[in-house]
């Protein structure tokens, strides 16, 4: 199965200082790999019109429900999530993280996960700017994210070896 994250309304490449936010320049956002804080999938600049990531994962039925796992899925069963890492990018391309958002997988309706297992794709849609105009952070659950099952694009094999 694949998980596709589609994000819009990014906060900008520069976010000014606020009482609890020091402000940053050359902001980027990426998906963080499990247990590898510095390994990021496809960083997007904070002023991009949108950002999209596609993650390979598996969904397995267990006694406790459906467990979603993969190289970019963090946490333990029942508390899994995907990290969107916010950071600055220097001229050498070095990413320095300053904030993260946790896309909480336990907030997905079981029927949606079951449908995604059949269709081959779980789709997440969200805005990446919070109510103060800053990069979205903390735990992200509905209504701030919309989860759905989507058909797999043509020519994509969903079989797991």
């Amino acid at each position: 199965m694949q998980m596709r994250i589609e994000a819009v309304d990014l906060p900008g490449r520069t976010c000014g200082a606020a009482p609890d936010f020091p402000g940053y320049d050359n902001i980027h956002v990426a998906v963080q790999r499990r247990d590898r804080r510095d390994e990021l999938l496809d960083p997007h600049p904070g002023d991009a019109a949108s950002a999209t990531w596609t993650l390979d994962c598996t969904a397995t039925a267990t006694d406790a429900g459906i467990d979603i796992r993969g190289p970019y899925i963090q946490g333990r069963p029942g508390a899994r999530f995907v990290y969107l890492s916010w950071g600055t990018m220097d001229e050498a391309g070095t990413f320095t993280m300053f904030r993260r958002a946790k896309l909480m997988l336990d907030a997905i309706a079981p029927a949606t996960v079951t449908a995604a297992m059949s269709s081959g794709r779980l789709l997440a849609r969200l805005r990446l700017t919070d109510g103060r105009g800053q990069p979205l952070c903390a735990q992200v659950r509905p209504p701030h994210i919309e989860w759905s099952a989507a058909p797999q694009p043509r020519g994509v094999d969903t079989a797991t070896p």
Side-chain angles (χ1 to χ4, degrees), residues 62-97:
T62 68
D63 291 340
I66 298 172
D67 187 27
I68 302 173
R69 299 187 64 169
Y72 294 93
I73 310 294
Q74 312 275 343
R76 58 185 177 273
R80 301 237 193 248
F81 58 92
V82 174
Y83 266 138
L84 293 184
S85 293
W86 292 98
T88 58
M89 189 88 66
D90 68 16
E91 292 171 6
T94 302
F95 184 91
T96 303
M97 186 188 68

Side-chain angles (χ1 to χ4, degrees), residues 23-80:
Y24 295 94
D25 293 314
N26 203 21
I27 294 171
H28 286 67
V29 61
V31 174
Q32 178 185 314
R33 187 174 176 98
R34 180 183 68 245
D35 298 327
R36 297 182 189 166
R37 183 180 178 145
D38 294 329
E39 191 171 324
L40 303 167
L41 178 64
D42 200 13
H44 291 273
D47 61 354
S50 63
T52 303
W53 299 274
T54 301
L55 316 176
D56 289 323
C57 56
T58 59
T60 307
T62 68
D63 291 340
I66 298 172
D67 187 27
I68 302 173
R69 299 187 64 169
Y72 294 93
I73 310 294
Q74 312 275 343
R76 58 185 177 273
R80 301 237 193 248

